[in-house]
Amino acid sequence: MIPADFLPPALGPQRTFALVAGVERYDISHRWNLRGPARDALRFAHWLTGPAQVPPGNLRLLLSPLDEPEALDWPDSPAMASLRAAYRPATEENVKAALLDELPQCDGDLLWIFWAGHGYLGPRQELMLPCADARPSQIRHLNLDSALRWWRTDLVKHRSFPLQAALVDSCRVDAPRDARLNFGSTDYGGGNSVPGRRQFRLYASREGEAAQNDAERGAGRFTEALLTELGPRSVLESVSGLPAAARSIHRTFQELRERGEGWQLPQFLVDRDWDACSFLDDDLTALAPPRAARLDQQAWDGLGELFEGRELPRCAYEAYAWAFKAAGCTTPVGGGLSGDGLLEVVQDLDERQGGRGGMPLAVPFVRFLADRAGTAGDAAWAGRLTDWVHTTRERLVLPVLPPPPPPPRTTVVHVALEPPPDGGPGFRARMWLSGERTEQIWESEGAPVRMDTVREELLRQLVLFGAAPAGGGEAGPWTRGGVDRIEFHVPYELLDTDFDQWPVPRGPAGRHRALGLLHQVVVRCPQERADTRAEWRTSWRWLCTRGGRHPEAVRVVQEAEVTDALGMELAERPAPACVLAHTTAAPHSGLLEAVLEGGVPVAVWRRGGGVPASPLLDLLAPAGPDGRPDPGALDVLALPARVREVRREAALRAAQQPAREDQLVLLWDDPDDMPGFRSLA
């Protein structure tokens, strides 16, 4: 409880005002619709006008329910009947009118803001709450952070509303970076800050996390817990007890996780007490269940020595994600590492702490790094990391860790083609096989060879490595599972060649299948990367440290964007790491030059130019909340497999509906996987 003399002396129901909003239906798409927020808003309004005894005229109720308003379960009371006649749809115009025009003119001591619906974080981490009239071209929304800044200024009556509480039952995940979903920029400005105004915020989720909605019961889990705490409390009791209620809500969800019943639920972030202090850090040990241990100074000293001079390894995001799994926690929504250095990542993990078994998240992270360092041949560093894990576990009395999963096994045939030094016909060719180890398996000798010769030799090698020995012979190292991917290292002029369409004998009666239906097939052009090697490697490493997914990882390039300046624009930042060509012109008409000049390691286009019947983003990316393809959900590191799936799906439809969706080319230049590359000249 906060001291009674802290509260305004006249605080009571008559001087309490509220904006209460519940948004279930969105104009943008039926896929955005969700059931529950309107009922949650009604229940909060019922508490305000019931136990809290706030006059209904002090409330601004905004509802956009899925069903007809008459179908809602309106509480039976005169106050709620009055609100039933006065509520408005939760459009941006009505939200701004209520929050920025009407309520600031009232003479009150306490403002409640309750919002239930979708929520997204903008580029500056401001919380954007979409309104019912959100459309793809303009996602109209309430910028809550900007609105709360506005409410602290002298644009609100002096000496009015010294206490302001925002309670938000929404997700706080990053806003989609699709150009077709335009949130725009919303800032309400403001005047001069007024000293003495205090704001309390309680969100249903932390940054990057989703909030749980029980659609079957028509209730948000956060609102359910909140109303349980408020119960029969009056205005005075609810205000003075709000920090304690927030602690109790936080503890409830912690206990769910302790019992293993709430791992998919969001963690709570309680922002500030009325005195602007982070009260969850104040003597919580007696209030909440025991939390995981944190690293001690000795552990940090050891990590400082272990990580000195070390860049983020390629497996850093895999280690990060596995740390949450090993500790029994849910990986944060959105993916990606929290920093550009190993110590920054460990610091983030240590601040998040761990799960039910008391395991600090940093320990399984280092355990994973040790395992992969040993697999990669860095035995010395692997040993030092393992020693750190062992001594830290013993010192902090931590449970035993399960072994990390083994690295994925991918068997790849690399086919390198180079024109002869004299510029004559044919190619100098060589092939490697890489997986558990890398070895050269064939090289053209003497005169340059024709492309048909390369194809025939590749088919012969695929037969050799795709079949197990007969009888009781000893299995060779390359006979398990055959070849997963074929990578063609080719000159710039051959990037659009139809390697994936090469016919491969398959089954009886002389049947053939396209190479790209049986294997992942990609093209590469590493020899054109010499001038942009730094940008190329930086972009790939950026992609790996985000697990292959990020709202900025993929860029769809339109026809008008293919200019002489595109390459320099792509080179300015590590993102994007993947370009999808939404162009009709042939790829050599400027697009590929820009991709290579920009250091972009991955690109997809339609062979010969021309957009497929379904745009590339529709073909490759999963749908987002609005039903549209979400670039941030596209796993770029899994594109070789996804492109093969698209080719197979197109082949299955070809008899009924001929299409060229299988004529996709995937440029896949992994700078860390360049087996034996050198000039064949």
Side-chain angles (χ1 to χ4, degrees):
M1 291 291 216
I2 59 177
D5 57 5
F6 177 85
L7 300 174
L11 176 61
Q14 300 297 326
R15 296 186 60 78
T16 298
F17 293 79
L19 170 73
V20 180
V23 192
E24 295 183 342
R25 182 185 296 277
Y26 296 84
D27 289 350
I28 188 171
S29 168
H30 71 278
R31 295 180 183 272
W32 276 49
N33 295 346
L34 70 164
R35 189 173 298 279
R39 179 172 181 266
D40 288 341
L42 285 181
R43 295 168 69 203
F44 190 79
H46 184 47
W47 171 79
L48 281 172
T49 58
Q53 298 183 350
V54 177
N58 289 13
L59 272 65
R60 302 298 184 270
L61 179 61
L62 306 178
L63 296 175
S64 290
L66 270 180
D67 304 319
E68 292 298 321
E70 292 73 18
L72 288 173
D73 185 16
W74 288 84
D76 186 12
S77 72
M80 293 304 296
S82 174
L83 288 174
R84 186 170 185 172
Y87 89 92
R88 289 171 283 179
T91 63
E92 183 188 38
E93 181 180 0
N94 288 338
V95 171
K96 291 173 65 176
L99 190 59
L100 302 179
D101 293 333
E102 300 166 17
L103 289 170
Q105 301 306 315
C106 299
D107 187 13
D109 291 324
L110 171 64
L111 172 72
W112 293 96
I113 298 176
F114 176 88
W115 189 288
H118 286 303
Y120 293 99
L121 293 177
R124 295 185 298 278
Q125 300 302 291
E126 66 273 25
L127 182 56
M128 301 185 298
L129 303 171
C131 299
D133 53 345
R135 294 181 176 87
S137 59
Q138 182 63 55
I139 301 185
R140 298 180 175 89
H141 64 275
L142 168 65
N143 184 329
L144 183 64
D145 290 271
S146 178
L148 290 175
R149 285 194 299 271
W150 189 93
W151 267 86
R152 288 198 297 266
T153 70
D154 56 8
L155 296 180
V156 180
K157 284 184 178 181
H158 281 291
R159 294 183 298 278
S160 291
F161 296 105
L163 301 179
Q164 302 163 15
L167 311 173
V168 183
D169 194 349
S170 78
C171 300
R172 298 175 73 203
V173 298
D174 289 336
R177 300 295 201 274
D178 189 342
R180 292 173 296 177
L181 298 178
N182 176 34
F183 277 86
S185 178
T186 302
D187 189 339
Y188 308 116
N192 298 314
S193 296
V194 175
R197 282 207 174 111
R198 295 174 172 86
Q199 291 180 342
F200 179 97
R201 307 187 196 190
L202 181 58
Y203 299 122
S205 57
R206 293 180 179 176
E207 291 182 355
E209 292 183 341
Q212 184 76 15
N213 182 62
D214 190 342
E216 190 171 322
R217 298 179 60 222
R221 295 299 299 269
F222 167 78
T223 302
E224 193 79 20
L226 173 66
L227 291 173
T228 299
E229 289 296 326
L230 294 176
R233 294 182 181 183
S234 66
V235 167
L236 286 173
E237 292 170 337
S238 64
V239 172
S240 60
L242 194 53
R247 286 192 182 100
S248 180
I249 292 170
H250 183 81
R251 185 163 59 246
T252 297
F253 280 83
Q254 288 282 31
E255 290 171 353
L256 284 172
R257 288 194 293 274
E258 290 293 324
R259 296 196 302 268
E261 299 174 5
W263 294 107
Q264 300 304 314
L265 297 177
Q267 290 182 311
F268 279 74
L269 173 65
V270 182
D271 194 6
R272 292 291 184 263
D273 198 343
W274 289 118
D275 61 0
C277 293
S278 181
F279 60 78
L280 279 186
D281 295 331
D282 180 20
D283 192 28
L284 268 190
T285 55
L287 299 172
R291 304 186 72 183
R294 302 184 71 169
L295 298 184
D296 57 13
Q297 189 57 50
Q298 186 173 341
W300 282 110
D301 291 343
L303 289 179
E305 296 177 3
L306 284 169
F307 293 163
E308 184 178 3
R310 290 271 180 176
E311 293 183 347
L312 279 172
R314 180 175 177 142
C315 67
Y317 180 76
E318 294 176 80
Y320 181 81
W322 184 75
F324 287 88
K325 183 177 180 180
C329 301
T330 301
T331 307
V333 175
L337 296 178
S338 54
D340 296 324
L342 284 168
L343 281 176
E344 294 176 25
V345 175
V346 171
Q347 183 177 7
D348 172 70
L349 289 170
D350 197 51
E351 290 174 353
R352 292 178 184 272
Q353 300 192 26
R356 290 170 290 179
M359 176 64 70
L361 291 167
V363 176
F365 175 76
V366 178
R367 172 70 176 85
F368 192 102
L369 295 182
D371 186 77
R372 291 300 170 88
T375 303
D378 193 348
W381 197 47
R384 295 173 62 200
L385 292 170
T386 302
D387 290 343
W388 181 91
V389 171
H390 179 72
T391 57
T392 302
R393 277 191 52 244
E394 284 193 340
R395 189 173 62 255
L396 300 180
V397 195
L398 302 176
V400 176
L401 277 168
R409 299 292 185 187
T410 303
T411 303
V412 181
V413 172
H414 297 265
V415 182
L417 302 174
E418 284 191 5
D422 60 5
F427 300 93
R428 298 172 61 88
R430 185 163 33 150
M431 297 182 191
W432 300 269
L433 191 68
S434 68
E436 296 179 6
R437 67 177 189 275
T438 300
E439 65 180 52
Q440 181 173 312
I441 56 177
W442 180 77
E443 183 173 6
S444 61
E445 299 177 356
V449 298
R450 299 172 55 199
M451 193 72 81
D452 288 346
T453 303
V454 177
R455 179 178 62 83
E456 292 170 3
E457 182 59 34
L458 174 61
L459 297 182
R460 190 179 74 85
Q461 295 292 341
L462 292 177
V463 171
L464 290 175
F465 297 116
E474 184 177 342
W478 302 109
T479 59
R480 292 175 296 171
V483 172
D484 299 296
R485 186 163 64 242
I486 303 168
E487 301 186 358
F488 289 88
H489 303 243
V490 299
Y492 170 77
E493 294 77 13
L494 295 182
L495 284 175
D496 206 39
T497 303
D498 61 348
F499 297 112
D500 56 284
Q501 298 297 317
W502 280 3
V504 179
R506 185 78 168 179
R511 176 184 295 166
H512 289 77
R513 296 293 188 195
L515 184 66
L517 299 180
L518 305 178
H519 305 276
Q520 302 169 17
V521 176
V522 305
V523 294
R524 309 186 60 173
C525 196
Q527 60 269 35
E528 296 291 346
R529 304 282 189 175
D531 296 334
T532 57
R533 183 172 298 273
E535 292 86 348
W536 174 35
R537 292 183 177 276
T538 299
S539 185
W540 184 266
R541 188 167 299 278
W542 177 89
L543 179 66
C544 290
T545 57
R546 282 146 184 86
R549 294 183 178 91
H550 192 272
E552 298 179 3
V554 179
R555 174 170 171 178
V556 178
V557 174
Q558 308 287 341
E559 192 85 46
E561 298 176 277
V562 183
T563 65
D564 289 340
L566 179 59
M568 292 186 293
E569 180 185 345
L570 293 174
E572 288 179 354
R573 301 170 57 242
C578 173
V579 163
L580 303 182
H582 200 278
T583 59
T584 57
H588 288 293
S589 301
L591 174 68
L592 292 182
E593 292 94 325
V595 167
L596 295 170
E597 181 187 1
V600 179
V602 182
V604 183
W605 65 90
R606 183 178 180 181
R607 179 170 296 110
V611 180
S614 298
L616 291 178
L617 197 60
D618 293 355
L619 285 174
L620 302 174
D626 62 340
R628 296 173 177 270
D630 180 6
L634 175 57
D635 186 353
V636 179
L637 295 177
L639 268 181
R642 177 59 190 146
V643 168
R644 183 179 63 174
E645 290 176 9
V646 170
R647 291 168 177 156
R648 289 179 170 180
E649 291 165 1
L652 292 174
R653 295 193 303 268
Q656 293 80 20
Q657 185 180 0
R660 291 187 59 198
E661 291 180 355
D662 60 333
Q663 300 291 305
L664 301 184
V665 185
L666 172 59
L667 173 68
W668 178 265
D669 260 338
D670 177 354
D672 297 329
D673 185 18
M674 302 291 292
F677 182 77
R678 59 177 174 80
S679 174
L680 294 173

